[in-house]
Amino acid sequence: EAERRLSGNRINKHVRFLRTFFRVMAKRARITANPFADIAPRRHLVQSKRPLTIEELRTAISAAKGELQTLFLLGTFTGLRLADAATLQWGEVDLARCIIRRIPRKTARTGKAVIIGLPAYLAGHLAALKRRGPFVLPDTAAEYEANPPALSQRIQGHLGKCGIDTVKPGTGYQT
């Protein structure tokens, strides 16, 4: 498990699934003993995130280039969740009125759009971008749709290169 860096929580979920699977299949498969029945749960250390300071945000944004910088700006100035910022479409951005009108993925079932004001700096940044298709960040949107954790890892890598630790002291496991 240490080589794969699985958390205690993840291991516990696998064990619970296998314990249930063997219990359900025992009669049909003629299994007399469940090999997972006596495995004790692993200790799970929660890894808590902390908010970034204004100075850390400035550092991260100024060190980022291209779409990553725009992604940081969108997150900082609009508060959009990663999925919504990464997949924002030009049709949802009204630069003339300086607003974003979007139905967030998390609450999409309600069908209610949120309207977010665009600060002048962000509106100017977006206006200067070259449009390459329906997405504001086409490469980032494709990366997110193909593999959401990869985008999160890229962001964490960038913050690490900037010397920014996002984990609350005293939480999580140390690598």
Side-chain angles (χ1 to χ4, degrees):
E1 88 219 24
E3 298 83 35
R4 293 184 61 197
R5 296 181 64 206
L6 296 178
S7 70
N9 186 43
R10 186 80 175 272
I11 292 169
N12 291 339
K13 286 178 181 176
H14 286 285
V15 171
R16 279 194 303 272
F17 166 77
L18 291 167
R19 186 180 295 139
T20 303
F21 178 80
F22 272 84
R23 182 177 45 78
V24 169
M25 296 301 294
K27 187 175 181 181
R28 180 175 267 161
R30 298 185 180 118
I31 298 170
T32 57
N34 187 334
F36 295 91
D38 296 327
I39 296 178
R42 296 290 173 110
R43 187 167 162 240
H44 174 61
L45 296 172
V46 176
Q47 185 169 340
S48 297
K49 299 292 183 188
R50 66 170 184 79
L52 301 179
T53 65
I54 302 258
E55 195 51 46
E56 287 171 332
L57 285 170
R58 280 190 184 119
T59 300
I61 291 168
S62 64
K65 300 291 180 236
E67 288 191 7
L68 187 60
Q69 184 178 53
T70 304
L71 183 66
F72 276 120
L73 288 170
L74 281 168
T76 300
F77 287 115
T78 67
L80 286 170
R81 291 180 178 91
L82 179 59
D84 293 318
T87 60
L88 184 66
Q89 296 190 24
W90 284 114
E92 300 166 322
V93 179
D94 184 344
L95 291 173
R97 294 181 7 199
C98 288
I99 61 168
I100 291 174
R101 181 180 169 85
R102 175 158 180 117
I103 298 173
R105 286 184 173 206
K106 184 174 181 175
T107 58
R109 61 179 162 60
T110 67
K112 293 183 181 177
V114 294
I115 298 172
I116 303 165
L118 290 176
Y121 182 82
L122 178 58
H125 180 85
L126 293 174
L129 293 178
K130 182 179 178 185
R131 295 188 184 204
R132 298 182 294 132
F135 293 103
V136 174
L137 307 170
D139 298 335
T140 303
E143 179 183 5
Y144 183 82
E145 294 295 346
N147 186 2
L151 180 57
S152 293
Q153 290 166 357
R154 186 159 64 99
I155 291 167
Q156 285 297 322
H158 176 75
L159 294 173
K161 286 178 188 173
C162 293
I164 300 169
D165 186 16
T166 60
V167 178
K168 259 187 200 173
T171 67
Y173 55 87
Q174 303 300 315
T175 57

